[in-house]
Each structure stands twice: as structure tokens, then as C-alpha cells.
Amino acid sequence: MAKIKPRVRVPKSAEVGEIVEIKALISHPMHTGRAKDKAGNVIPRKIINSFKVAFNGAEVFSMNLEPAISANPYVAFPFKATEAGTMDFTWVEDGGAEYTVSKKLKVS
Amino acid sequence: MKHHMQMNAISRRQALALMGAAGLVTATGVPAFADAAAMADKIKAITGGAAVGDGASIMLDLPEIAENGNAVKVAFEIDSPMTADDHVKAVHVFADGNPTPEVASFTFSSASGACGASTRMRLAKTQNIVVLAAMNDGSFQQAQTTVKVTIGGCGG
């Protein structure tokens, strides 16, 4: 299986009050539990089912993902910059495995 | 020998007929896809039967025709001040022709500054997409569109 690798894009800096777009993607096959492999066996469901974003410890955005979300789930969302800090991204896979990334945001 | 081959041909045809019949049974016996009613149930479970606004403040960005159902862009923007007193709490996306109607749900906060998101979804066939927004005051807004799908995205 391909390596599960999260990637995020956060602007390096933003002005106070500026609304910036945050983009996040994780490479993941998002097995729905419906597709079959070459031998005809059903590939069991394994998806990223939740994605959370916290800024300086407080949750600012979250997403629940269903099997209807494409492989390598991608999401873009807005964030209003008010102070400098760290943005923590967490993806949760079926079975409880977590993938995390942190990014710093400068605010001037 | 010739006779033997003919027998083979018949049994193959019979086998195909049997397979066809089996397919029909699965198609009618177990609903393989969600339908509008299943989607309405899911929406009702969220709204609790409350009235849903016409979604004039919701702007959808979806293709009219999706060539590949494996990755269909779904994006929305909702006109809201996103203050602590007046913001969009959550947005739910549904599709009425997929095996399950839920696609994704998003939660926002006043820290978002604006309400919107963009992601990619799988669509099994041509179907309706509903975006349901839950406001912090307990009201709901809903917008709907249809996406035509050329090649479905359910991995066979």
C-alpha cells in the first residue's frame, strides 16, 4: 500500500483580520468496502473518517468523511488570521490510526 | 464432437441467463443505491423536521457534467458574517444516488472568518446533490443541484 502522507498548505504570513485559504490533502486510497481486488475479493472498508484543525489548541474546523469522498481526500477551507500561532491538522483513519501535521502561521 | 460443442454453447447460454437472473435478484432484493427518500430521512434526522430555508445564501460550485465520477469537485460558499452571534455551525453534503447518501459534513466556527469549503467526492451515477447548512440559531438552509455523471465512481 502506498504510504499515507499528509500535506497542508498554510500561507507563511497573513495580516490581522485577513481570511486565508488553508488546503489539506492526505494520500490515502479511501477503500469504500465495495470495490473488489483482482482476485474478486472485497477490499475491506478503510477510509479517513475524520479531519480536524485546531489553532493554538482550539478547534476551528472539522470534517467528517464518508466513503463517498474521493481517494486522496482534499479539502480547502477559510481561516481568519487574528494572531500568530500553530495550526494542528489531524486525520483519523478507520481503526483509530491518526496522522498529524503542524504548521506555523505568522500574523503581522 | 460437433454435438458436444453445441451442448457447450447451450450450457454457456443457460449459465449467462442464470447470471442475469441472479443479477436481477440482487438489484431488486437489496437496494444497492440510496434514493431520494433515504436522503430525505438523513436530512430529517439532522433538522428534526424543522423548516428548511431555500438556501439563497448558499452558492454551490459543482460541475454540471462530471466525466469521471471518482473525483467530482464539490465546493460551496455561504454568505454569513461568521461572528460569535451569527455563524454557520455545520454544513452537510448529501448525494441521493450513491450507495449511502452521506458525502461529508463540515463544522465551522467564528474563527473561520467565512463559511465555505471545497473537496472532491465519488458519484456512482447521475444524481442530485444537496448541501444543508445548520445555523447557530437553529435554523437550516438547503441548496440542491444535479450532476450528470458519465463514468460512475464506485470502483466496479
Side-chain angles (χ1 to χ4, degrees), chain A residues 30 32 62 64 67-68 70 74 76 78, chain B residues 70 105 107 111 114 116-119 122:
Chain A
M30 296 290 279
T32 60
S62 77
N64 279 321
S70 302
Y74 157 86
Chain B
N70 268 315
S105 55
T107 59
S118 172
T119 186
R122 294 174 170 135

Side-chain angles (χ1 to χ4, degrees), chain A residues 4 14 26 29 33 38 45 57 62 69 80 98 103:
Chain A
I4 294 167
I26 186 164
K38 279 175 188 158
R45 175 183 145 148
S62 77
I69 293 293
K80 190 176 181 180
E98 287 192 3
K103 287 277 174 182

Side-chain angles (χ1 to χ4, degrees), chain B residues 120-137:
Chain B
R120 292 189 283 250
M121 65 181 168
R122 294 174 170 135
L123 293 179
K125 59 178 183 177
T126 297
Q127 57 187 289
N128 299 314
I129 312 300
V130 168
V131 172
L132 177 73
M135 309 300 168
N136 68 317
D137 65 0

Side-chain angles (χ1 to χ4, degrees), chain A residues 10 13-15 22 24-27 38 41 46 48 50-51 58 64 84 101:
Chain A
V10 177
S13 64
E15 288 172 18
I22 314 290
L25 185 147
I26 186 164
S27 52
K38 279 175 188 158
N41 304 314
K46 190 152 220 185
I48 296 290
S50 137
F51 171 62
N64 279 321
V101 173

